[in-house]
Amino acid sequence: MIEVRRHPRARRARLSVDPADGRIRLILPPRAHLRRALAWAESQREWIERQRARLPRPQPFADGATLPFRGIVLTIAHDSAAPRAPACDGVLLRVGGPADTLAGRVDRWLRQQALAALREATARYAARAGVTVSGVAIGDARRRWGSCTATGAIRYSWRLILAPPFVLEATAAHEVAHRVHMNHGPAFHALVAQLLDDDPAPAMAWLRRHGATLHWIGRST
């Protein structure tokens, strides 16, 4: 299925395959002829299939599967007689209970770990910046790793827990800096580096290079 979107600044039809979810998108100028544009998009099926073949492969949570976690690689080890709650044991993530509900328990555990880590990092950077944060929450946005509202509510992608720690740290510093500067001007970027006490560029580059792959972890299709 082709998802059609009209964009006020689009000058011509543009076709893309989203690396985070595999959706096919057709971006059109406001007054473009829809039927002709869809016919053109359908004629590009060979190109579409080549792009989809390059997408990351789904990595479902199952016994023996591996997943990145805070800079290490965990292997899921299922034992139905063990406690249901996942527990990290070195490079093993031990999970008990029924096999058919294992994936849900692993997903919830990862989200809990993400929320705890992001709350801690956010509080630390907020204290450095001398600002308040009204709340920290997590979600699973496809296009944003974090967001900060004017009221001080910060929301992150839980998938940051799958990235190396320096990526999570830089993202938290980035969102906290928005409590001072609600833009991406030079003063904002200087504050991010000051809070982080490091250059955030490598973390942003890591997300550009590997971020799409994180969205396929835990998916079966």
Side-chain angles (χ1 to χ4, degrees):
M1 181 177 178
I2 297 176
E3 181 181 304
V4 178
R5 294 184 181 180
R6 293 188 183 273
H7 195 284
R9 291 195 295 275
R11 294 290 177 265
R12 58 183 178 82
R14 182 167 60 86
L15 196 60
S16 66
V17 177
D18 193 318
D21 56 22
R23 292 181 182 177
I24 307 166
R25 292 190 174 87
L26 176 61
I27 307 300
L28 299 177
R31 297 184 180 182
H33 193 283
L34 180 58
R35 186 176 298 176
R36 282 199 294 268
L38 284 172
W40 169 77
E42 289 293 344
S43 74
Q44 303 301 308
R45 279 292 169 182
E46 186 176 330
W47 177 87
I48 290 171
E49 292 309 315
R50 286 201 304 271
Q51 300 307 306
R52 297 189 78 171
R54 297 172 183 168
L55 292 173
R57 293 290 177 256
Q59 301 177 50
F61 297 140
D63 183 35
T66 59
L67 67 146
F69 176 75
R70 307 215 72 181
I72 64 173
V73 176
L74 294 177
T75 299
I76 297 174
H78 176 245
D79 177 357
S80 59
R84 291 186 177 222
C88 198
D89 179 10
V91 294
L92 295 179
L93 183 62
R94 299 191 181 277
V95 191
D100 60 349
T101 56
L102 177 149
R105 291 196 301 282
V106 172
D107 182 274
R108 288 190 293 275
W109 181 81
L110 287 168
R111 290 171 187 258
Q112 291 165 0
Q113 297 298 310
L115 184 57
L118 287 161
R119 278 176 171 165
E120 188 280 327
T122 301
R124 182 161 24 90
Y125 291 123
R128 291 184 190 178
V131 298
T132 59
V133 172
S134 61
V136 175
I138 56 170
D140 196 13
R142 291 288 192 268
R143 290 171 179 75
R144 307 182 84 177
W145 296 104
S147 61
C148 178
T149 69
T151 60
I154 296 179
R155 188 175 185 84
Y156 298 100
S157 168
W158 72 265
R159 294 177 185 276
L160 287 165
I161 202 69
L162 305 173
F166 75 93
V167 175
L168 183 148
E169 291 288 328
T171 306
H174 181 109
E175 298 307 328
V176 168
H178 278 311
R179 294 292 292 126
V180 181
H181 304 287
M182 289 297 285
N183 56 58
H184 289 101
F188 165 82
H189 290 294
L191 179 58
V192 175
Q194 179 184 336
L195 294 176
L196 192 61
D197 195 25
D198 200 357
D199 182 3
M204 300 304 104
W206 191 97
L207 283 173
R208 286 192 297 272
R209 189 175 304 115
H210 305 289
T213 301
L214 301 186
H215 290 290
W216 293 83
I217 294 173
R219 291 179 54 180
S220 57
T221 58

